[in-house]
Amino acid sequence: RDFDEEVEFLLNAHKKISGFKAHRILDIAAGPARHGITALQLASDKDNLSVTCVDLSPEMAEYAQELAIEGLMEKERSNFHYIIDDIRTFDVSGDGNADQQFDSAWILLGSLQHLTKNSEVVQCLSRIHQVLRPNGTVIIELPHPRETFSMVDCTRNSWNVPLEDENDKELGELRIVWGDDDDEFDPITQVRQLTIEMKLTGADESDEMQSVRGVVPTRLFTVMEVDAIAQLSGFKVAASYGALEEGVAVDDEIAAFRLVSVLQKV
C-alpha cells in the first residue's frame, strides 16, 4: 500500500466535506499506526498536526511506538499518542489534549469489521461522535460490498514487518496476510471467518522457518447498513468511494475494490 497517497486522500476527503483542515486526527483500531505516522511525516510545522491512536493490543502499541521512534523527528513524536483501550469505550484524556476535539477520525484496513453486532458499531461511532468537533468527519475503509454477495474473491490485506536484533542486524521478515478465498461466510449474520496467516522467513537463503494460521470472525457491511448505522450514531454519509483514491466511484465495476465512507457529524 502507498501510505503517502492514502493519507493525502484522507486529508483531502476530510477537508472537502468539512471545509476545514484536519489538525487533530483520531486513528481508531490503529494497529501499527502507519497512516497516522505517515500523516505526521507529511505535515509541515504550520499544520500543527497531532495524531492519537486507539487500539486494544499492547503489542501493536509497542510496535507502533517503535515505528514512530524510527520514522519521526523528536517534535513529530511529541504529537504522536497511543492509547491502549477498547474502541467502543475509549478514553482520550491521557493524550494531553483532552480539552480539544478531534477534526477527523479514521477507521481503516477493515478494522470496523471486528465489531460484528450493530450495537457494538453504534457504540463505537457514538463514542467518536462525543470527541469529534462539529462538522468533523469519520472515514471508514471496508471491503467492497461485492464481497458480501460473493461476487468477487475475498480481498487480501497484508503487511511485512522487518525483524532486527538489538544491534540492528536483520534477522528476517514477518509477513501477515488477512483473508483467503476459502474463508467461511454466514449469510445470516454476514460474518466471515477470516483467515490470518503469519509467515516468518529468515534473512539469509534458508527456507521458511515458520507459518501460523488462525481465524478471526469479521463482519461484512453493505452501503445501506453503513448509512443506517451512521444515522443512529449522529452522522450522515457525506461521500462514498471505491478506494482510498480520489475519483474512484464506489460503483466503478473495474477500479472499485473497497468501500470508503466519509461520515460527517450532524
Side-chain angles (χ1 to χ4, degrees):
R1 299 181 66 134
D2 190 322
F3 292 103
D4 286 14
E5 289 188 2
E6 291 183 356
V7 167
E8 290 284 359
F9 167 83
L10 292 165
L11 295 173
N12 290 335
H14 160 78
K15 186 177 180 181
K16 182 177 180 179
I17 296 301
S18 68
F20 52 84
K21 279 189 174 183
H23 296 289
R24 193 166 182 228
I25 294 169
L26 178 64
D27 194 351
I28 295 293
R34 294 187 184 277
H35 289 93
I37 292 173
T38 300
L40 288 167
Q41 291 171 333
L42 296 177
S44 63
D45 289 340
K46 65 179 181 180
D47 289 329
N48 193 28
L49 185 71
S50 70
V51 175
T52 297
C53 300
V54 179
D55 199 291
L56 195 57
S57 169
E59 292 79 13
M60 276 297 178
E62 181 179 0
Y63 179 48
Q65 293 289 2
E66 292 174 358
L67 292 178
I69 291 173
E70 294 175 1
L72 298 177
M73 304 292 288
E74 183 176 354
K75 183 177 180 181
E76 295 168 341
R77 289 201 301 272
S78 67
N79 290 323
F80 179 75
H81 313 280
Y82 209 112
I83 298 171
I84 302 172
D85 209 341
D86 191 316
I87 64 173
R88 299 166 295 182
T89 58
F90 61 89
D91 178 9
V92 294
S93 60
D95 76 346
N97 297 290
D99 57 329
Q100 301 181 37
Q101 293 181 306
F102 293 95
D103 299 310
S104 185
W106 301 344
I107 314 177
L108 306 174
L109 293 164
S111 297
L112 194 67
Q113 294 181 268
H114 296 295
L115 304 180
T116 59
K117 300 182 185 305
N118 286 340
S119 58
E120 295 175 331
V121 181
V122 171
Q123 188 179 12
C124 173
L125 291 179
S126 296
R127 181 66 188 114
I128 295 173
H129 189 278
Q130 293 173 348
V131 299
L132 202 66
R133 67 176 285 185
N135 296 318
T137 65
V138 181
I139 304 179
I140 303 172
E141 179 199 4
L142 294 164
H144 197 278
R146 294 191 192 100
E147 294 186 25
T148 306
F149 300 103
S150 300
M151 296 172 65
V152 294
D153 292 336
C154 174
T155 297
R156 291 176 175 84
N157 290 310
S158 66
W159 66 77
N160 297 331
V161 181
L163 304 177
E164 299 176 343
D165 63 15
E166 62 275 9
N167 298 316
D168 295 330
K169 179 182 177 181
E170 186 176 346
L171 298 178
E173 184 176 74
L174 180 65
R175 178 170 175 79
I176 306 172
V177 181
W178 296 71
D180 189 274
D181 292 341
D182 295 327
D183 291 343
E184 294 184 6
F185 175 68
D186 185 338
I188 305 300
T189 62
Q190 294 179 198
V191 173
R192 169 172 278 149
Q193 302 301 320
L194 190 72
T195 299
I196 303 174
E197 184 175 22
M198 294 180 287
K199 291 184 178 181
L200 180 63
T201 57
D204 52 23
E205 296 180 357
S206 61
D207 294 331
E208 181 181 298
M209 296 168 55
Q210 189 175 6
S211 178
V212 178
R213 290 170 68 92
V215 175
V216 175
T218 56
R219 175 186 174 170
L220 294 175
F221 291 81
T222 66
V223 173
M224 298 301 291
E225 287 168 345
V226 172
D227 182 70
I229 291 172
Q231 292 184 49
L232 287 171
S233 309
F235 294 94
K236 67 177 180 179
V237 178
S240 297
Y241 298 89
L244 290 172
E245 182 180 344
E246 184 68 36
V248 179
V250 70
D251 59 354
D252 189 315
E253 295 185 1
I254 297 176
F257 70 103
R258 302 295 279 174
L259 171 60
V260 178
S261 303
V262 184
L263 279 51
Q264 184 175 29
K265 181 175 179 177
V266 295

